[in-house]
């Protein structure tokens, strides 16, 4: 059981550490508004529940329709996702712009849930092979641990967003617009 708990914590940390930045930007955007933390927390839970449901459905489908000999190869999905992301970053096509995910959006439950779910494709790709390789009770344990860690993730993001120095950076990022330069303005 301890192994399952530690694996779940490691898996959650590896797949969700980038969400701290997105959530911190939501906290910066909602600074001074009452209920911001509750809306962000509810949205994060709603979006993450969608990710878990999708991962479980893919796991059930893969377990039902794939031959047992193919299941170990599901572990190649996260590797493929990582290689694709590395290729896009190397080519300069990486569109993983955290500011763009929250720009112009009000801090509401639906917005946070939508951004969380949209940002969770890698989670589904990583959770599915893990869920396929463990017993159903372990999948339940993983999900419970993940849901507890969602609150920890939101608390960490709020901590990051409310530090004096990071608040300045978060506010600058959440409200910035970069000027466009054209040849006409160069004269």
């Amino acid at each position: 059981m301890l192994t399952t708990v530690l694996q779940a914590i490691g898996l959650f940390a590896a797949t969700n550490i980038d969400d701290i930045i997105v959530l911190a930007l939501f906290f910066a955007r909602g600074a001074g508004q009452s209920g911001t933390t509750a809306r962000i927390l509810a949205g994060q839970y709603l979006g993450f529940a969608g990710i878990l449901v999708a991962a479980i459905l893919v796991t059930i489908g893969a377990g039902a329709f794939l031959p047992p000999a193919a299941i170990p190869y599901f572990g190649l999905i996260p590797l493929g996702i990582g290689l694709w992301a590395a290729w896009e970053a190397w080519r300069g096509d990486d569109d993983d712009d955290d500011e763009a995910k929250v720009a112009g959006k009000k801090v509401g439950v639906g917005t946070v849930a939508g951004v969380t779910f949209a940002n969770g494709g890698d989670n589904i790709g990583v959770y599915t092979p893990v869920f396929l390789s463990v017993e159903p009770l372990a999948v339940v344990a993983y999900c419970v641990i993940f849901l507890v860690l969602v609150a920890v993730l939101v608390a960490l993001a709020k901590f990051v967003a409310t530090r004096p120095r990071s608040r300045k950076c978060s506010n600058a990022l959440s409200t910035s617009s970069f000027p466009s330069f054209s040849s006409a303005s160069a004269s």
Side-chain angles (χ1 to χ4, degrees), residues 37 44 59 63 69 79 112 124 129-130 158 182:
T37 302
Q44 185 69 13
T59 300
L79 178 64
V112 176
I124 296 167
V130 173
K158 184 174 183 179
S182 66

Side-chain angles (χ1 to χ4, degrees), residues 1-182:
M1 184 62 167
L2 180 61
T3 304
T4 300
V5 170
L6 294 175
Q7 287 174 341
I9 292 170
L11 189 59
F12 184 86
T15 56
N16 291 288
I17 196 72
D18 60 327
D19 289 347
I20 290 176
I21 296 168
V22 176
L23 291 170
L25 290 172
F26 274 126
F27 276 111
R29 186 162 298 276
Q33 299 174 10
S34 64
T36 296
T37 302
R39 288 191 305 274
I40 291 173
L41 184 64
Q44 185 69 13
Y45 268 112
L46 188 61
F48 198 79
I51 290 169
L52 288 178
V53 167
I56 290 169
L57 290 175
V58 171
T59 300
I60 291 169
F65 297 111
L66 290 177
I71 290 176
Y73 295 105
F74 248 69
L76 296 174
I77 291 172
L79 178 64
I81 291 171
L83 290 173
W84 182 259
W87 173 255
E88 285 184 341
W90 182 72
R91 288 184 44 210
D93 294 344
D94 188 14
D95 66 350
D96 193 19
D97 183 5
D98 292 330
E99 181 188 351
K101 292 175 185 173
V102 300
K105 294 181 173 72
K106 292 183 181 176
V107 180
V109 173
T111 301
V112 176
V115 170
T116 299
F117 187 77
N119 201 26
D122 60 331
N123 298 44
I124 296 167
V126 172
Y127 297 164
T128 299
V130 173
F131 290 174
L132 279 167
S133 68
V134 298
E135 297 296 320
L137 187 58
V139 173
V140 171
Y142 273 88
C143 291
V144 168
I145 292 164
F146 289 170
L147 291 172
V148 168
L149 292 174
V150 165
V152 174
L153 182 71
V154 171
L156 279 171
K158 184 174 183 179
F159 177 80
V160 167
T162 57
R163 297 307 89 199
R165 180 165 294 227
S166 68
R167 189 175 336 137
K168 289 178 189 173
C169 293
S170 294
N171 285 336
L173 284 174
S174 69
T175 60
S176 68
S177 63
F178 296 99
S180 61
F181 297 98
S182 66

